[in-house]
Amino acid sequence: MENVVGDRVLIAVQAVNISRLSTHPVPTVPGTLIVVAGAGPKDSNGAGKSSFIASITALLGDEQWRFASGAKAVSELLFNAELASGAGARQWASAGHGYIVGVFGDPGIAATPADADGGGASSPAGAGGQEGEPAGGELFEVPDTSGGAVTVWLRVNQEAPHLEIRWRDGVHLAAAASEAERVARADDIWASLPRSAGRRDVVARDLTKVLYGDRVRCVSFLSTSVRSKVATNLLSQPLNEISPERVFEAIAALTGLDSELEQEREARRDEHAKRVRAAQAAERLAEFEAESKALLATFDRRDQARIRLADALRCWRGRQARKLADAAAKDESLAAELGRHRVAGEAAGEAIALVKAEIATLREDTLDRQVGEARKALAALQARAAKLEADRAVAENTADGLRARVPELEEARRFADGRDVPAAEGELREARLRLNEALKALGVADREVADAQAALDDAEGGPAAAQLNALATAGVPATGLLDALDVAEQARDHADATLRGWPHEHAVIVDAVELGAAAEALAALPGSVLVSAAGVSVVGAFDGVATGREARIKAAEQRLNRARDTQESAAQAVREGEEAVAEAQRRLDGARAGVRLAEVEAQLAERRARLAELAGALEEVAPAVAEAERQAGALDFRARTRDMEIERLEGRRQRHESDRAQARDQQARVTAEREALKLEALAADWGGAVDGAREWLAALPEEERPRTAEEWWRVAERHFDQALRDTFPEEDAEIPEELRFLLSERGGSTAREQATFSAVCGVLASYLRGQEEYEKHQRRQIEAQLVSRQRDLSAADKGAEEAAQSTAVHRAALSAAIKARLTRVAEEFEKLDTSYGGYGATLEFPVPPAPADPEQRWQWRVTPKWRRGEGQGYVPYNRRANTALMDEKAVKLVCAAAIASSGGGHLCLVLDELGRNLGKEHRREAVALFRRIGETYGITVIGALQDDMEPYAIDACGQYVKLRRSSDAMPYNEPPVIVGHDRHAERVRALAAYVERPATV
């Protein structure tokens, strides 16, 4: 089924779970200007204008949604709780699906108020309508013809398929008393609608074909808020600021040239791909020929390697024969030498046995036992004599020490003066008592001298000494008050009591003229008292009392002299006491030295007796030690003579043993050499007996017969190396793992190379045998592949040529179509300009060359031009002009592109941000121009606008729709305000009555 809508036009739209739009149906007046305004929480933003007009473009099949790719971007229009309301995101859930419902009808039908039946509007599916309702259940009464109303439902899903389409004849909208009920009612109606494609629904890729028969029903300029890819909007900025390339992009989007340009790019991609494939086929053929040549050369080298490997194995066999023959000859000579060494070893063994018998006879142990006993007896006697000698030395040392102390003790004993120890100790105690008494008296005398000296200093200085010194420093003459007073002897005691203390003792007498200077000098001594003819001035207080200064000084001097005399007498008594204590101490030390002297003399007598006893013992043991030394010396001589003979015999035995060991070593060496020849292994390697190897060597040509085993080896190694290089000419060749292992084991020494030669030759031969049949097959395959690849190259070249011709034809056809479409736009631009106050306009669009890059879009340039006066030439749009003229031409160009894209059928032009760039002084005229063009050419112009455009558009439009949302806390809009003008008012009122009708039960 195709072109379900046919020539019908959109007369009403309803959105369910689309953005924050209200579910109330909104009528649309075809063939005029419909402006969509908004009232959000702060301004027109946030009311859902862009989402509203975007849902209309999706319903009308605007190709900018990319329906062929599934139209996933349409699912972004679904209600999103987080975007709709920050607070509501915790109370509302985002919609998993929603609906865009459109009612299509004849634009010229009469509008009669009516209610919808339960099956199509507000009652549950299958319920009967109220009395007086039309039988068809339609919102508007329409004739029962092929042009009757049809309702199209687009289900928008969050998951694929993102769009599903169903429809039914008549008006079937979701009607109920609340938003939630209308949402639920929409699901019920969708379930009641028949599937549009048999067992399944029509999806996005078939929308335009099924609903509109591939006719263009809508062109649009949408904002980035609802469209990821936005075409250039000719009305969003001054026209002269838009480049010719972007002007073409805008016209291409409005006229549907985008898909055709994309097809042209796909053709260029196909041509490029085929050319690339042809080039790749040529490269592959050249590479295959080079590889084949290399493979054939490799196969030839491996054939040569097989020959060289056979030569290497023959030379290796010659080496084995030569080694076996040489080893057999050497083994015969070594066998004769082994017999000689065996005879010499047996003779040395017999001589060793005779020498050992003589040594055993000499080593009889009687003499050794006698020597040991003599040495033991000598050691005992020598130990006894040494002990006696040590004891005598100790006694002599002790006696010498005691004798040395006698003179010292005798000298100390003389100081005792005949006193014993107790008497001397008593005298010492009495002397110390007298000394202590003298020390006490001296202390009392010292204290008295200090007191007398202090009294004298006080009498000489006076109580006012500090004040007098300060005044003298300042150059002020003064005297102490108490120093100027002379008190009679009989009144002195009374004067001391009266004059002691402040202020008398701190008062000084100064001249009245010097009173100020004196006060300044005594400022640092607060409490001083100044006495003058002018009066008494008090500065501070002091210590001390004095009267009669000269008398006091004289008395203090007498007291000091008496105290010093007493001090001298006490000091003399102390000195005498100290001398007496020292003398008593010397007497006590002398008495004690006499006691110690008696003790030392007794000890000295004992030591002398011990020395006499030890001297007698030494005289007795000396003859016995001498006899023991004589006997031990004689036995030692006999033992040394015997040991010398044994040593001589031992030397002879060692020589014989050395001869026997040397013979044995020679036998072992010869035996080892014979074993090292490994005749059996060499014979096994050769594969026969020695006679066979000698016969093989004798049968060799004359030039090969003299070769040694080493020479055979070098020739074999050269042949093998060349065979290996012929087999694997490159260093990074894929060598078999076993062969790689053996080659790695061969490195390091010639012995390892020879040990692994047979194995590595066997593995290499096995590999060459395995490759031989494969190489024959490969030669046949290479010949077949060359023929096949040459045939593929010819086919690829032919395909590239055909693709180039096809692309050229397609580009020529597209170029003609683009020029025809642009010519149509230019003609409509000319008609509109001349019909609405202009002098004529056109478009200039030179054909650009196709880009070399297959991924680059074929970029055309369109330059709008118009006349500025009657009879004048065309002026490009980017020349300086007034803003009103520029905006007028932009509106006409957009409408011309829309008219040209309609193909004679009804078209809907949807514009977001209508008049955003228009100046205030000509906004009303530009909007009115949209309405006049739309009504003249049957174009429905739907434009969303901002607040500042509303006053100019509300009077110039054919229909006014205002979407409302008063608070950010509200997730959905309030019911829209809809105003229809002129003959369309009845339709709007009928829809309002339908919307406000309560739901039936």
Side-chain angles (χ1 to χ4, degrees):
M1 181 179 294
E2 295 183 7
N3 199 9
V4 171
V5 174
D7 293 331
R8 300 178 182 90
V9 294
L10 183 67
I11 59 174
V13 64
Q14 183 179 28
V16 179
N17 281 341
I18 299 300
S19 185
R20 56 170 60 93
L21 298 176
S22 169
T23 57
H24 293 79
V26 177
T28 58
V29 178
T32 187
L33 172 63
I34 303 174
V35 296
V36 181
K42 297 180 180 179
D43 50 26
S44 64
N45 294 319
K49 303 187 301 297
S50 297
S51 299
F52 178 73
I53 64 175
S55 64
I56 292 177
T57 63
L59 179 64
L60 296 177
D62 184 3
E63 279 300 329
Q64 293 189 52
W65 288 107
R66 299 188 182 277
F67 292 102
S69 301
K72 185 179 184 303
V74 180
S75 63
E76 298 177 6
L77 296 176
L78 288 172
F79 174 74
N80 186 303
E82 182 178 359
L83 298 178
S85 174
R90 297 188 296 269
Q91 303 172 2
W92 301 84
S94 298
H97 68 276
Y99 302 97
I100 303 174
V101 186
V103 179
F104 294 86
D106 185 355
I109 64 174
T112 303
D115 289 334
D117 66 354
S122 59
S123 62
Q130 294 181 350
E131 184 180 355
E133 292 179 347
E138 296 180 350
L139 177 60
F140 311 107
E141 288 187 357
V142 295
D144 188 9
T145 64
S146 60
V150 63
T151 304
V152 176
W153 282 67
L154 266 64
R155 179 183 170 104
V156 183
N157 300 311
Q158 193 66 252
E159 304 296 335
H162 300 290
L163 280 185
E164 296 175 292
I165 302 98
R166 294 181 184 179
W167 62 86
R168 175 179 286 176
D169 292 339
V171 180
H172 301 277
L173 300 173
S178 66
E179 294 281 350
E181 291 174 344
R182 283 191 287 274
V183 173
R185 184 65 183 144
D187 289 333
D188 294 338
I189 296 176
W190 173 263
S192 69
L193 295 176
R195 293 185 181 274
S196 53
R199 294 185 178 182
R200 65 176 182 85
D201 290 314
V202 174
V203 292
R205 65 175 180 272
D206 299 322
L207 182 145
T208 56
K209 180 178 180 181
V210 171
L211 293 183
Y212 311 111
D214 285 333
R215 290 171 55 189
V216 178
R217 297 298 297 266
C218 177
V219 293
S220 65
F221 288 135
L222 297 182
S223 67
T224 56
S225 62
V226 293
R227 181 68 57 84
S228 59
K229 180 180 179 182
V230 183
T232 303
N233 190 342
L234 298 177
L235 304 177
S236 63
Q237 63 188 98
L239 184 61
N240 57 357
E241 295 180 2
I242 303 175
S243 65
E245 291 83 3
R246 295 181 62 198
V247 171
F248 172 76
E249 291 177 0
I251 295 175
L254 290 170
T255 57
L257 290 174
D258 279 346
S259 59
E260 298 181 12
L261 287 170
E262 189 63 30
Q263 291 174 6
E264 187 275 337
R265 182 159 57 179
E266 287 296 332
R268 277 190 284 115
R269 288 174 181 166
D270 180 63
E271 176 191 355
H272 175 73
K274 290 183 177 179
R275 288 190 180 278
V276 169
R277 284 196 294 271
Q280 291 174 348
E283 291 177 1
R284 285 194 296 269
L285 176 61
E287 291 174 1
F288 184 77
E289 290 176 346
E291 293 173 359
S292 301
K293 184 177 181 181
L295 282 174
L296 293 175
T298 301
F299 297 159
D300 294 339
R301 283 196 303 272
R302 286 179 181 172
D303 290 339
Q304 186 67 27
R306 294 182 181 93
I307 298 173
R308 291 186 180 277
L309 183 59
D311 293 341
L313 291 173
R314 177 179 174 277
C315 293
W316 177 254
R317 187 162 179 75
R319 172 183 176 275
Q320 291 172 328
R322 174 58 64 192
K323 286 186 67 176
L324 179 59
D326 293 347
K330 187 174 182 181
D331 182 70
E332 293 172 357
S333 64
L334 288 175
E337 184 180 355
L338 180 62
R340 292 194 299 273
H341 291 312
R342 186 179 293 111
V343 171
E346 292 174 353
E350 294 174 356
I352 289 171
L354 294 175
V355 173
K356 283 184 176 180
E358 293 181 13
I359 292 174
T361 303
L362 291 174
R363 281 183 174 173
E364 182 251 334
D365 62 348
T366 303
L367 180 60
D368 292 336
R369 191 165 51 252
Q370 292 175 354
V371 171
E373 292 175 352
R375 288 178 178 175
K376 187 183 297 183
L378 176 61
L381 291 173
Q382 287 177 342
R384 182 182 176 189
K387 184 178 184 304
L388 291 173
E389 187 67 32
D391 292 343
R392 186 177 67 177
V394 171
E396 287 178 353
N397 290 336
T398 304
D400 291 341
L402 292 174
R403 282 194 297 271
R405 294 176 60 189
V406 169
E408 178 184 356
L409 294 174
E410 289 178 346
E411 180 66 22
R413 188 179 59 178
R414 290 188 298 102
F415 290 101
D417 293 336
R419 295 176 177 81
D420 56 6
V421 173
E425 289 177 349
E427 291 180 357
L428 178 59
R429 283 194 298 272
E430 293 177 358
R432 285 176 177 172
L433 290 175
R434 290 193 297 272
L435 177 59
N436 290 336
E437 292 296 331
L439 289 173
K440 293 178 181 179
L442 178 59
V444 172
D446 291 341
R447 187 166 53 254
E448 178 62 20
V449 170
D451 292 344
Q453 183 64 48
L456 177 59
D457 293 340
D458 186 43
E460 290 176 347
Q467 284 78 4
L468 293 174
N469 291 334
L471 292 173
T473 301
V476 178
T479 184
L481 176 63
L482 297 183
D483 293 340
L485 297 178
D486 287 328
V487 182
E489 188 68 26
Q490 61 274 17
R492 183 163 296 173
D493 293 336
H494 177 70
D496 287 343
T498 303
L499 299 177
R500 279 291 177 185
W502 184 83
H504 307 96
E505 64 182 4
H506 296 288
V508 293
I509 301 172
V510 298
D511 189 64
V513 178
E514 301 292 340
L515 183 61
E520 183 178 355
L522 296 178
L525 298 171
S528 301
V529 179
L530 297 175
V531 180
S532 66
V536 178
S537 176
V538 178
V539 180
F542 300 92
D543 299 334
V545 176
T547 59
R549 182 170 182 272
E550 293 180 358
R552 285 187 285 106
I553 292 173
K554 183 177 181 181
E557 289 176 348
Q558 292 175 358
R559 178 185 175 187
L560 177 61
N561 292 334
R562 287 194 299 271
R564 286 177 176 172
D565 292 341
T566 303
Q567 182 185 34
E568 182 62 29
S569 299
Q572 182 62 32
V574 168
R575 287 192 293 273
E576 291 174 356
E578 292 175 347
E579 292 176 358
V581 168
E583 180 64 23
Q585 184 66 46
R586 283 194 298 274
R587 290 171 181 170
L588 177 60
D589 293 340
R592 291 175 177 172
V595 174
R596 286 196 296 274
L597 179 60
E599 295 174 354
V600 168
E601 288 176 349
Q603 293 175 0
L604 184 58
E606 292 177 0
R607 292 300 166 192
R608 288 172 179 167
R610 176 64 178 163
L611 284 172
E613 181 182 351
L614 292 172
L618 283 172
E619 289 177 357
E620 291 178 359
V621 78
V625 171
E627 180 61 21
E629 289 178 348
R630 185 188 64 77
Q631 292 179 359
L635 292 173
D636 283 340
F637 177 76
R638 289 176 58 191
R640 285 195 299 274
T641 303
R642 185 202 63 182
D643 292 341
M644 291 175 62
E645 182 64 18
I646 291 174
E647 184 177 355
R648 183 181 65 79
L649 293 174
E650 285 287 345
R652 185 188 302 173
R653 181 182 65 80
Q654 290 176 358
R655 286 194 297 274
H656 289 313
E657 287 183 349
S658 176
D659 293 342
R660 185 176 65 178
Q662 184 176 3
R664 289 176 177 175
D665 291 342
Q666 292 297 329
Q667 293 179 42
R669 179 185 62 77
V670 172
T671 302
E673 288 181 1
R674 294 187 68 189
E675 292 177 354
L677 292 175
K678 298 180 179 180
L679 283 176
E680 295 180 358
L682 292 175
D685 291 342
W686 162 250
V690 175
D691 294 339
R694 288 172 176 168
E695 292 175 0
W696 190 88
L697 291 173
L700 289 174
E702 189 68 26
E703 63 272 10
E704 292 182 348
R705 197 177 303 164
R707 286 182 183 174
T708 63
E710 185 64 24
E711 291 173 345
W712 282 109
W713 160 249
R714 287 197 295 269
V715 176
E717 181 68 9
R718 285 198 301 271
H719 285 309
F720 172 76
D721 289 341
Q722 187 60 46
L724 185 64
R725 284 194 298 271
D726 289 342
T727 306
F728 306 105
E730 299 177 358
E731 294 183 0
D732 57 348
E734 295 184 0
I735 301 175
E737 189 64 29
E738 183 181 3
L739 181 59
R740 186 185 298 276
F741 173 77
L742 292 174
L743 291 174
S744 64
E745 289 294 316
R746 298 183 77 235
S749 65
T750 303
R752 295 177 67 180
E753 292 177 352
Q754 293 174 353
T756 58
F757 186 82
S758 296
V760 73
C761 285
V763 173
L764 182 59
S766 176
Y767 174 78
L768 290 173
R769 284 193 300 272
Q771 292 292 320
E772 187 172 7
E773 186 63 30
Y774 167 75
E775 290 170 3
K776 292 178 181 178
H777 176 70
Q778 282 292 98
R779 289 180 187 272
R780 293 192 295 270
Q781 287 292 325
I782 288 171
E783 295 174 359
Q785 283 288 329
L786 284 174
V787 175
S788 175
R789 291 177 184 272
Q790 289 171 353
R791 186 169 54 250
D792 291 343
L793 176 59
S794 177
D797 289 337
K798 184 178 180 181
E801 292 295 330
E802 291 175 352
Q805 294 175 3
S806 176
T807 302
V809 172
H810 185 277
R811 186 179 301 115
L814 177 60
S815 177
I818 292 174
K819 289 192 291 183
R821 190 71 56 84
L822 293 178
T823 301
R824 175 90 186 279
V825 174
E827 292 172 353
E828 296 296 336
F829 192 23
E830 173 77 14
K831 292 178 183 178
L832 289 176
D833 190 60
T834 55
S835 299
Y836 295 97
Y839 299 101
T842 187
L843 300 177
E844 182 180 278
F845 43 89
V847 179
D853 187 357
E855 296 298 327
Q856 186 177 354
R857 186 182 176 91
W858 195 11
Q859 189 65 60
W860 285 63
R861 295 167 56 90
V862 174
T863 304
K865 295 183 176 182
W866 51 77
R867 294 187 179 94
R868 295 189 179 182
E870 194 67 43
Q872 295 183 1
Y874 289 105
V875 178
Y877 76 106
N878 48 15
R879 296 286 178 85
R880 179 175 298 180
N882 62 73
T883 307
L885 178 62
M886 197 66 65
D887 295 338
E888 176 195 344
K889 301 303 182 185
V891 171
K892 293 176 180 177
L893 180 57
V894 170
C895 293
I899 294 168
S901 64
S902 64
H906 185 81
L907 183 72
C908 183
L909 173 61
V910 181
L911 304 173
D912 200 1
E913 304 293 344
L914 178 63
R916 180 174 59 184
N917 188 56
L918 301 178
K920 292 183 179 179
E921 64 278 2
H922 48 81
R923 287 180 172 179
R924 184 176 288 106
E925 291 77 2
V927 174
L929 181 59
F930 269 119
R931 177 180 179 181
R932 291 196 302 272
I933 293 174
E935 293 177 349
T936 302
Y937 291 90
I939 298 175
T940 302
V941 182
I942 303 176
L945 48 82
Q946 293 289 347
D947 296 343
D948 55 350
M949 274 296 296
E950 190 170 356
Y952 306 99
I954 193 169
D955 294 332
C957 66
Q959 182 180 351
Y960 171 81
V961 179
K962 188 160 189 176
L963 308 178
R964 301 180 299 165
R965 189 168 71 97
S966 59
S967 172
D968 283 330
M970 297 176 60
Y972 293 102
N973 286 1
E974 299 172 9
V977 174
I978 304 169
V979 179
H981 296 274
D982 302 331
R983 62 189 179 89
H984 309 294
E986 292 299 328
R987 189 195 305 274
V988 176
R989 283 195 292 273
L991 181 61
Y994 171 78
V995 172
E996 294 173 357
R997 172 184 174 277
T1000 59
V1001 183

